Amino acid sequence: MPTVYENYVNGEWIASESGETFDVENPADPSETVGRFQASTVDDLDAAVDAAVDAQSEWADTPGPNRGDVLKRAGELLAERKESATETLVREEGKTRAEAAGEVQRAIDIFAYYAQKARDLGGISKSPSGRNKDLYTKREPLGTVGLITPWNYPVAIPAWKLAPALAAGNTAVVKPASAAPTMTAVLFECLDEAGLPAGVANMVTGSGSEVGTPLAEHDDVDGVSFTGSTAVGTSVARSAADDLKRVQCEMGGKNPTVVMPSADVDEAVEILGAGAFGTTGQSCTAASRAIVHEEVYDEFVEAMVEYATDVEIGPGLENPDMGPHVSAAELESTLEYVEIGQEEGATLETGGERPAESATGDGYYVEPAVFSDVDNDMRIAQEEIFGPVLSVIEASDFEEALELANDVDYGLSASVVTQDLTEADAFVDRIEAGVAKVNEKTTGLELHVPFGGYKNSSTNTYREQGDAGLDFFTSTKTVYRNY
Ligand code: NAD
């Protein structure tokens, strides 16, 4: 019998009124059920929103440092169970042990960071136009917020939405992705044990249509913070905007790394390999286009193929270089894009197939794929694949490389590999992306600086993480006081 997880509503673990559940499987061994979750209904969601609304003013009135203490304690509790949480994350999502440990640590650090921020909340004071007056601003919580999260960072993303929301005095309802909800439940166990008052944060599992849509549309929800695909995010943004809710959607990417002739090709390959195949290519910031100067193109392709064929694939618990896809559907989607690329006329240099069954059993594995001879207008160069597939595109000079890098609907993360400072600066200035990196992989983010995309990668309304992470969850009130 798998572990059964209930919804967390008003400080209690409760089953859905539907009486229905769904199972989450281990992508490295689909015969293993990792957990059983509530297939919730709109009534379950309504109960969670009611609890959050009821708890809001009391939580907002709780002094910031006291709110911070609860967050700090929750982070400490997660740290105490870091090893088991890491294993759970590996078994649920398929990441390697090293990737999962890094993500759990990220969630711990996020809680510590926003615990401190809960003390620092405040406004600004300005000189008023007149004697015996005060002119200042206050930061107030938005109210009750809906947080809708994806499966690919199933503990870090719920943490980076929940922690600033709660630090600022909001109450929340979280709807995790059905492919990987366990880690959100683990976060809620920590918050519960840390003494979070009933109703302040609630978790309801279930499908996007049964739980996600009603959460985005709910009249009593004041803001919706969503991370996921551009298709779903666009509909969430539309429904939230219908009643003028504050909305923030962080969505897909098609991230380029430009390689210039001054680069050390081996270093460029390391950067691209880590960016494209790390987390099995299932990062919104994963590098999926290598735009390579013609002078080093052949050398790069050869070395990149060598890198890809050396990637060791296996169950995340054995800590290989790369684990499986999260689900059969994600694996199928990647395999389909590999076919599309070949039909479009790109050259599949290596990978793109399921490895021999003897090595990896029924797990959802795919060998990392490298395509050369890719035109930027091919679907494999324009659409988010969300798997370990790298398209190599040739450019004749820096201007063309930059143009190709920007010629895409997405704009999340981008990098350039060069020893030329002028090129590096020009890239940073002119790349249309929310994250610009020099001599670094497109993945990997620091938690204390803003994160978000341009173009179709984001509603570009607010940024997440860092100080900016609090902006979405607060309203500014300007006070004119005449004494
Ligand atoms: P998804 O869009 O399928 O689902 C995201 C969440 O939305 C899930 O909880 C899902 O159940 C819910 N949902 C689905 N349909 C809904 C609806 N109609 N209304 C409301 N909610 C609904 O995304 P995914 O497959 O879970 O995650 C992968 C995607 O997330 C990729 O596109 C990736 O680039 C993106 N992502 C972006 C960032 C970022 O910060 N930009 C970070 C991680 C992942």
Side-chain angles (χ1 to χ4, degrees):
M1 172 81 174
T3 308
V4 178
Y5 293 89
E6 295 182 313
N7 290 331
Y8 185 78
V9 176
N10 208 16
E12 305 280 342
W13 294 96
I14 53 168
S16 163
E17 57 96 39
S18 73
E20 306 282 322
T21 56
F22 64 92
D23 287 351
V24 174
E25 62 192 14
N26 177 347
D29 174 7
S31 66
E32 184 198 342
T33 301
V34 175
R36 182 159 289 168
F37 287 86
Q38 305 303 308
S40 307
T41 65
V42 70
D43 289 342
D44 298 318
L45 192 258
D46 284 344
V49 173
D50 288 349
V53 169
D54 286 349
Q56 206 272 319
S57 61
E58 179 66 31
W59 182 243
D61 286 346
T62 302
N66 297 16
R67 294 197 299 261
D69 286 344
V70 177
L71 295 180
K72 181 165 172 268
R73 184 69 196 128
E76 288 165 355
L77 288 164
L78 184 60
E80 283 170 21
R81 62 189 75 171
K82 181 175 172 187
E83 210 172 308
S84 68
T86 297
E87 283 210 2
T88 303
L89 176 49
V90 172
R91 286 172 60 235
E92 177 178 67
E93 203 268 355
K95 279 174 206 268
T96 66
R97 197 182 272 278
E99 289 166 348
E103 187 185 339
V104 173
Q105 187 59 48
R106 170 58 59 106
I108 294 165
D109 294 345
I110 286 167
F111 270 83
Y113 179 80
Y114 284 107
Q116 186 57 36
K117 290 281 161 199
R119 289 174 189 273
D120 289 346
L121 281 170
I124 51 166
S125 176
K126 295 279 184 179
S127 179
S129 302
R131 290 172 190 276
N132 301 330
K133 290 180 177 187
D134 283 328
L135 182 61
Y136 62 94
T137 64
K138 288 172 63 163
R139 257 185 154 175
E140 298 185 339
L142 202 53
T144 292
V145 294
L147 311 177
I148 303 175
T149 56
W151 50 262
N152 67 327
Y153 286 95
V155 66
I157 294 179
W160 85 47
K161 292 184 189 296
L162 251 180
L166 301 185
N170 299 277
T171 56
V173 177
V174 183
K175 198 290 234 199
S178 298
T182 314
M183 293 308 297
T184 304
V186 170
L187 267 189
F188 273 82
E189 285 167 3
C190 295
L191 284 164
D192 182 76
E193 220 177 294
L196 189 75
V200 170
N202 307 271
M203 178 193 78
V204 182
T205 57
S207 74
S209 53
E210 291 293 319
V211 181
T213 305
L215 180 56
E217 290 175 348
H218 206 293
D219 283 345
D220 293 337
V221 167
D222 303 294
V224 177
S225 178
F226 166 93
T227 298
S229 62
T230 298
V232 174
T234 305
S235 82
V236 166
R238 282 205 183 100
S239 39
D242 260 357
D243 63 350
L244 301 181
K245 258 186 203 79
R246 187 177 287 187
V247 65
Q248 162 188 62
C249 295
E250 294 305 332
M251 303 176 282
K254 191 69 193 172
N255 311 293
T257 293
V258 167
V259 180
M260 293 305 292
S262 62
D264 177 307
V265 170
D266 289 338
E267 188 193 335
V269 166
E270 291 288 329
I271 286 172
L272 258 309
F277 308 139
T279 64
T280 320
Q282 302 175 126
S283 287
C284 52
T285 50
S288 56
R289 293 181 299 147
I291 300 172
V292 183
H293 192 280
E294 60 186 15
E295 267 179 44
V296 286
Y297 180 86
D298 290 339
E299 187 187 348
F300 175 86
V301 171
E302 194 181 323
M304 197 68 240
V305 169
E306 202 178 314
Y307 180 104
T309 47
D310 282 351
V311 169
E312 190 198 332
I313 304 169
L317 286 176
E318 291 170 17
N319 209 21
D321 298 326
M322 195 177 95
H325 266 300
V326 71
S327 65
E330 290 297 322
L331 171 65
E332 280 313 313
S333 164
T334 293
L335 295 174
E336 204 179 312
Y337 271 109
V338 171
E339 257 177 53
I340 290 169
Q342 289 168 286
E343 283 160 17
E344 288 179 307
T347 306
L348 180 62
E349 296 278 353
T350 184
E353 289 183 358
R354 299 191 71 171
E357 202 174 298
S358 56
T360 53
D362 292 335
Y364 302 133
Y365 298 96
V366 63
E367 291 166 346
V370 178
F371 275 107
S372 63
D373 303 321
V374 177
D375 282 337
N376 205 45
D377 55 5
M378 290 178 180
R379 285 182 62 192
I380 56 166
Q382 291 291 322
E383 297 174 17
E384 185 181 49
I385 297 176
F386 228 54
V389 180
L390 180 66
S391 293
V392 189
I393 302 164
E394 190 172 338
S396 55
D397 57 22
F398 177 74
E399 282 303 318
E400 193 195 2
L402 190 59
E403 202 175 300
L404 290 167
N406 282 332
D407 185 16
V408 70
D409 289 337
Y410 294 102
L412 191 52
S413 180
S415 74
V416 64
V417 191
T418 180
Q419 293 303 312
D420 182 324
L421 194 56
T422 307
E423 265 168 17
D425 285 347
F427 183 84
V428 168
D429 286 350
R430 291 164 59 198
I431 192 70
E432 296 162 2
V435 176
K437 295 188 169 193
V438 176
N439 297 325
E440 288 208 19
K441 58 188 171 138
T442 52
T443 50
L445 302 165
E446 299 258 13
L447 65 91
H448 53 297
V449 285
F451 171 52
Y454 285 11
K455 304 200 281 193
N456 290 0
S457 293
S458 172
T459 42
N460 215 342
T461 43
Y462 292 85
R463 289 287 183 250
E464 298 201 276
Q465 308 204 54
D467 287 321
L470 291 162
D471 293 343
F472 179 81
F473 295 108
T474 52
S475 295
T476 299
K477 182 175 279 173
T478 308
V479 181
Y480 295 75
R481 197 155 71 99
N482 186 346
Y483 57 90

